[in-house]
Amino acid sequence: MEALRASSFTSFTYPLTSRTIFEKPIFQIPLTQKLTSPVPTNLSKKAKFKNFTAISPTVLSTEESENSSSPDQETEAENREEKFDWFAQWYPVMPICDLDKRRPHGKRVLGIDIVIWWDRNENEWKVFDDSCPHRLAPLSEGRIDQWGRLQCVYHGWCFGGSGDCKFIPQAPRDGPTVHTSKKACVAVYPSCVQNNILWFWANSDPLYEDIHLKKKPPYIPELDDPSFTNMMISRDIPYGYELLIENLMDPAHVYYAHRGIMRVPETPKSLKADREGGKPVEISLQKLDINGFTANATGNSNFVAPCLYYSFYSLGVDPSKQSTSSVGTTEEPSSPVTQKRALLIFYCIPVSPGNSRLIFASPRNFGVWIDRVVPRWLFHIGQNLILDSDLYLLHVEERKITDLGPLNWHKSGFVPTKADALVVAFRRWLNKYAGTQVDFGTKFSKLLPPTPPREQLFDRYWSHTVNCSSCSVAYRGLNTLEIVLQVISIASIGIVAAGKQGIMSAAARNSLVCMAVLCFVASKWLSHFIYKTFRYHDYDHAFR
């Protein structure tokens, strides 16, 4: 997947006003600039940072390994005042291109069930608690009524963009106005649209009503730059946030294990041989604090807590000749030609224990015409295949690490090379600042859900197709085409069978028979293609 080219709080009865699109975001992320935050997550004194990489390639003896202090023991001895608050952060929900304004959408983020809907009266997306205050029915199963209100289909209660109840059908017209009670309101989460992604603040407390004025989601200018491509994919993943983001931070796996799938130059014929042909990866960690970390790897890598991990690459440029511009991007000043640049941007979203969501984008300023000509669902075929290639491995790995406990992560495997420095840095950040694991509050137990059958584990329809505007349209269109081919095949055979000898020439009869056979074979192939592309595709490494 790395070769891609991403607690429940008690609902408050006070309505909040969601926020509009940020035209000029305050918080921008220059690609090679050190991480900063517009508003400190915690105002306490910051701990001093020590350079940290993975163990050197020299293998330590067993005695030395046992006697040496673990990374977690080091972090416990450092400043304990700074704590990362999981419920005081912005979280990406979905790309805007995959949201339908005609209906509400239900999503889960950080264990919080939310409903997303388009308020045409205020011309903005709203994020509510996905629970009707009447009988707790999910509002995501409702509809948008003719007046542009969110309507619960259980009893017809209607809500405005501020979470206030507008209408209760069962309330007497001449009785008390019960719909104006605060108990009839839905909790509203602050929300915004940035980089063509809908974000929400994971706390509906009225204290955060104006959080957009103090802190905004991380902003990447290239996603809004028309000279760059901006194609995205979103998919639900059946393993947790920690494993998802670790996998994306693993450059040895990104650049060597999947090069056969990427078809980059110098790719050996066999993927197995490619994996055996890896080489050392030099990684230098530059900064680690409560807001994330930065590092120099194959490109400039950055982790912006809690969800964003991205890398920046310049193609065809000697890294030793690059320099940092005044706006924080790396460029070659002596070159008059526009430099080819590409990013790998991963938004890793915690959903629930053992489940996460990835939003992936790979903007580039070359070959832009390809994305404008080729439909998005064709790109998703390869990207889904890469996600499937690691899916079962990481699903099993997560359970092994969970059995040892998050504080014993360094004992779960052997990481002797610098290629693992980013993974080590993430685990260090997680243990030092973020409580060793994602905080889901008290809604879930610490047990992971049982492993489902492979057909469910590798499901593509509910994890991606149904939520992707491009893939869902292609799925319906190709299914229609399959039916058309079957009808043509049957009709051709019927015409041949019904035609009398002499009325139809032998050439015409043979042509119809050939057409029937070809349409039948094409419909069977198309049925197989649809199933493997949009519904279920198993992945067997032994035969790839």
Side-chain angles (χ1 to χ4, degrees):
M1 114 172 119
E2 309 77 38
L4 291 167
R5 311 271 174 171
S7 120
S8 170
F9 262 56
T10 304
S11 298
F12 292 88
T13 57
Y14 300 98
L16 296 180
T17 302
S18 68
R19 296 299 158 190
T20 57
I21 299 175
F22 297 145
E23 297 180 354
K24 297 181 179 179
I26 295 176
F27 181 26
Q28 298 189 7
I29 306 179
L31 297 180
T32 57
Q33 184 173 318
K34 295 182 179 180
L35 291 174
T36 58
S37 176
V39 176
T41 307
N42 192 300
L43 298 178
S44 59
K45 183 179 179 180
K46 292 186 177 180
K48 295 182 178 179
F49 172 74
K50 299 178 180 179
N51 289 328
F52 180 80
T53 60
I55 304 172
S56 78
T58 304
V59 179
L60 297 178
S61 66
T62 304
E63 182 178 355
E64 289 174 333
S65 300
E66 292 177 352
N67 294 334
S68 61
S69 60
S70 68
D72 301 298
Q73 291 172 335
E74 292 180 10
T75 58
E76 289 174 4
E78 295 178 357
N79 193 326
R80 304 188 183 192
E81 295 180 3
E82 287 186 304
K83 293 298 178 183
F84 186 81
D85 187 350
W86 291 90
F87 291 92
Q89 309 294 331
W90 287 103
Y91 289 88
V93 182
M94 283 288 289
I96 292 299
C97 61
D98 290 329
L99 292 176
D100 189 345
K101 294 181 179 181
R102 300 171 300 175
R103 57 164 301 166
H105 304 264
K107 293 293 176 184
R108 175 177 288 176
V109 178
L110 202 65
I112 305 172
D113 291 316
I114 57 177
V115 57
I116 306 149
W117 64 286
W118 176 256
D119 182 3
R120 68 170 182 256
N121 295 312
E122 297 186 23
N123 289 320
E124 61 183 13
W125 291 99
K126 304 289 184 177
V127 178
F128 285 7
D129 185 44
D130 193 13
S131 180
C132 180
H134 178 212
R135 298 272 291 279
L136 307 184
L139 293 172
S140 56
E141 292 297 316
R143 63 168 69 96
I144 310 298
D145 69 7
Q146 61 268 39
W147 292 283
R149 304 173 301 190
L150 177 62
Q151 183 183 65
C152 176
V153 294
Y154 194 21
H155 293 95
W157 286 35
C158 298
F159 304 92
S162 297
D164 53 321
C165 183
K166 297 293 187 180
F167 178 61
I168 299 178
Q170 297 79 22
R173 303 297 184 270
D174 55 353
T177 55
V178 293
H179 70 277
T180 60
S181 171
K182 290 183 178 180
K183 293 183 178 180
C185 297
V186 182
V188 182
Y189 294 92
S191 61
C192 69
V193 174
Q194 185 157 278
N195 286 144
N196 295 312
I197 296 174
L198 178 66
W199 299 72
F200 93 111
W201 184 263
N203 196 325
S204 60
D205 191 314
L207 293 174
Y208 295 104
E209 180 177 3
D210 297 320
I211 188 63
H212 70 291
L213 300 176
K214 303 175 183 177
K215 183 178 181 180
K216 296 182 180 181
Y219 177 71
I220 298 181
E222 282 70 17
L223 286 176
D224 291 335
D225 190 336
S227 65
F228 281 76
T229 61
N230 60 356
M231 194 171 293
M232 295 185 183
I233 182 175
S234 174
R235 181 167 171 179
D236 291 341
I237 308 293
Y239 50 83
Y241 156 89
E242 295 92 341
L243 267 294
L244 173 62
I245 202 164
E246 273 186 7
N247 195 33
L248 300 171
M249 289 179 176
D250 185 355
H253 188 53
V254 171
Y255 301 109
Y256 303 114
H258 284 313
R259 285 172 67 189
I261 297 177
M262 292 179 68
R263 295 186 177 91
V264 298
E266 303 178 1
T267 300
K269 295 181 180 179
S270 133
L271 185 58
K272 180 180 178 181
D274 187 45
R275 286 176 177 157
E276 294 173 352
K279 61 182 180 180
V281 180
E282 290 294 328
I283 299 177
S284 173
L285 193 64
Q286 295 179 325
K287 178 182 179 181
L288 187 151
D289 58 26
I290 195 170
N291 299 309
F293 59 80
T294 60
N296 282 331
T298 305
N300 296 291
S301 300
N302 304 268
F303 169 57
V304 183
C307 296
L308 175 60
Y309 174 71
Y310 68 98
S311 298
F312 167 77
Y313 307 92
S314 295
L315 280 66
V317 177
D318 184 354
S320 63
K321 297 180 180 180
Q322 293 181 359
S323 62
T324 303
S325 68
S326 59
V327 295
T329 57
T330 304
E331 55 185 28
E332 191 176 10
S334 59
S335 176
V337 182
T338 301
Q339 190 180 96
K340 292 183 178 180
R341 297 175 180 174
L343 291 85
L344 293 178
I345 303 172
F346 304 97
Y347 297 96
C348 304
I349 307 163
V351 174
S352 61
N355 293 280
S356 57
R357 184 176 302 116
L358 171 67
I359 299 176
F360 167 71
S362 182
R364 64 184 188 281
N365 63 354
F366 56 94
V368 178
W369 64 270
I370 299 176
D371 288 23
R372 295 173 180 171
V373 175
V374 180
R376 191 160 65 109
W377 66 271
L378 284 176
F379 288 99
H380 290 181
I381 294 176
Q383 293 166 344
N384 275 317
L385 182 63
I386 295 171
L387 289 171
D388 288 337
S389 69
D390 293 330
L391 197 150
Y392 187 75
L393 304 177
L394 297 174
H395 180 84
V396 174
E397 179 183 336
E398 180 178 29
R399 277 143 181 78
K400 294 181 179 180
I401 294 177
T402 300
D403 290 341
L404 293 172
L407 284 174
N408 296 319
W409 66 270
H410 56 285
K411 299 178 182 179
S412 63
F414 183 45
V415 286
T417 68
K418 292 183 179 181
D420 297 306
L422 294 177
V423 175
V424 172
F426 171 71
R427 282 292 176 176
R428 189 181 184 198
W429 173 85
L430 197 64
N431 289 353
K432 179 178 180 181
Y433 298 107
T436 73
Q437 58 188 352
V438 178
D439 180 11
F440 292 106
T442 58
K443 186 173 183 178
F444 302 100
S445 66
K446 295 184 179 180
L447 299 177
L448 294 173
T451 298
R454 290 184 74 90
E455 290 79 5
Q456 183 177 345
L457 194 66
F458 285 88
D459 166 75
R460 284 191 185 178
Y461 183 76
W462 294 106
S463 65
H464 172 71
T465 302
V466 74
N467 297 311
C468 175
S469 60
S470 181
C471 289
S472 59
V473 170
Y475 177 72
R476 293 192 298 268
L478 292 176
N479 273 307
T480 302
L481 178 58
E482 178 190 354
I483 295 173
V484 170
L485 291 172
Q486 292 173 354
V487 170
I488 294 175
S489 178
I490 295 172
S492 299
I493 294 297
I495 293 172
V496 172
K500 294 181 180 180
Q501 190 72 23
I503 297 178
M504 184 181 299
S505 66
R509 293 170 65 90
N510 291 337
S511 297
L512 287 174
V513 171
C514 290
M515 180 184 295
V517 172
L518 289 175
C519 287
F520 176 77
V521 172
S523 69
K524 285 297 183 182
W525 177 88
L526 188 58
S527 175
H528 179 70
F529 174 80
I530 292 171
Y531 184 73
K532 292 190 68 174
T533 301
F534 300 107
R535 299 203 68 91
Y536 166 71
H537 183 94
D538 201 352
Y539 197 98
D540 190 344
H541 287 270
F543 297 99
R544 291 186 179 274

